Amino acid sequence: MTDLSAFAITRKWPAQHPDRLQLYSLPTPNGVKVSIALEELGLPYEPHLVSFETNDQTSPEFLSLNPNNKIPAILDPNGPGGQPLALFESGAILLYLADKTSQLIPQDAAARYETLQWLMWQMGGVGPMFGQLGFFHKFAGKDFEDKRPRDRYVAESKRLLKVLDERLAGRPWVMGDQYTIADIAILPWVRNLVGFYGAGDLVEFDQFQEVQRVLAAFVARPAVARGLAIPARG
């Protein structure tokens, strides 16, 4: 049996199945990227809830695996060369899982780099901008009379949605016929923007019909439906 006892994180979140990939996460847009990918790939894994309510992400055990104290993070007992591998950053984890299985990413070199381009577009633009808009609209907006910070992120979020809408015109997915880690990275953030953050009217989401179409196809996937609820909140 695989021994993961050398990893301090397993003292707070004991591995019941140490031969499986260990996922430390929360069902946020970044967190569900990895659970959705794992469900799509059919890889055996064991999820562990990292509760922000109890500041699990700042515990010494979690910081031992991810010093940046953000979810998600993984511990793969069967990493490269058969050795355990710990990883954080959702984009890096998505790329690792795609390469590990040779799935969810094109094998053609040019298409692979194009996929990574859209993955990084999400990480550098969509996530930070949508997240800031959500903060100022849903959480902090009532505390600030000055709406310029919110409006700044509204404008940039609308611009990003327009970029995505134009990309998806005539395509089933970001990369065309192939469903990839680019879709898994981008679409949970879109879903969160118009769902949890309730910012659909602010960004005039109704005008982005291609994004709406692909988002509907995304959430209809069984693996996505499962991944959106993992790890289950206690």
Side-chain angles (χ1 to χ4, degrees):
M1 179 174 289
T2 305
D3 183 6
L4 298 178
S5 61
F7 293 89
I9 196 165
T10 63
R11 294 197 285 272
K12 186 173 179 66
W13 292 276
Q16 301 301 313
H17 303 280
D19 56 323
R20 300 179 187 177
L21 186 147
Q22 305 293 304
L23 169 65
Y24 308 93
S25 192
L26 186 69
T28 66
N30 281 334
V32 299
K33 292 180 195 175
V34 178
S35 54
I36 288 170
L38 288 166
E39 289 293 325
E40 293 279 10
L41 293 166
L43 286 173
Y45 71 102
E46 182 177 349
H48 303 278
L49 180 69
V50 180
S51 174
F52 289 178
E53 294 177 359
T54 53
N55 294 316
D56 283 350
Q57 75 277 17
T58 61
S59 66
E61 293 86 355
F62 189 78
L63 292 172
S64 71
L65 190 144
N66 182 2
N68 196 41
N69 68 279
K70 302 291 184 181
I71 60 95
I74 64 167
L75 174 56
D76 186 359
N78 301 301
Q83 298 301 309
L85 175 69
L87 278 181
F88 61 90
E89 284 297 325
S90 59
I93 297 170
L94 285 180
L95 180 56
Y96 170 69
L97 294 175
D99 283 345
K100 178 183 176 73
T101 59
S102 298
Q103 298 181 58
L104 297 178
I105 194 165
Q107 297 306 298
D108 171 74
R112 172 187 169 85
Y113 285 116
E114 192 176 352
T115 304
L116 296 182
Q117 161 187 273
W118 286 102
L119 173 64
M120 294 181 185
W121 177 80
Q122 181 277 306
M123 294 164 58
V126 167
M129 294 302 110
F130 288 12
Q132 291 290 352
L133 172 53
F135 173 78
F136 281 105
H137 177 57
K138 184 178 178 67
F139 299 109
K142 296 181 179 62
D143 299 329
F144 294 93
E145 291 184 11
D146 187 349
K147 299 304 180 188
R148 284 176 295 178
R150 186 203 67 180
D151 292 345
R152 168 185 170 86
Y153 294 115
V154 168
E156 181 62 5
S157 295
K158 288 173 69 174
R159 188 192 69 80
L160 290 165
L161 285 167
K162 184 174 185 293
V163 171
L164 181 59
D165 204 63
E166 292 174 351
R167 172 65 182 183
L168 292 173
R171 291 183 172 92
W173 302 107
V174 170
M175 287 301 298
D177 290 336
Q178 185 174 359
Y179 172 76
T180 69
I181 56 174
D183 304 291
I184 293 173
I186 296 167
L187 292 167
W189 273 104
V190 177
R191 175 181 176 270
N192 208 63
L193 180 69
V194 300
F196 178 72
Y197 288 152
D201 289 343
L202 268 181
V203 298
E204 300 176 328
F205 191 64
D206 286 348
Q207 69 180 291
F208 302 111
Q209 296 185 7
E210 301 293 342
V211 177
Q212 291 181 55
R213 169 182 58 83
V214 177
L215 177 61
F218 178 71
V219 298
R221 295 177 69 91
V224 171
R226 294 192 300 270
L228 286 172
I230 295 173
R233 295 176 185 268

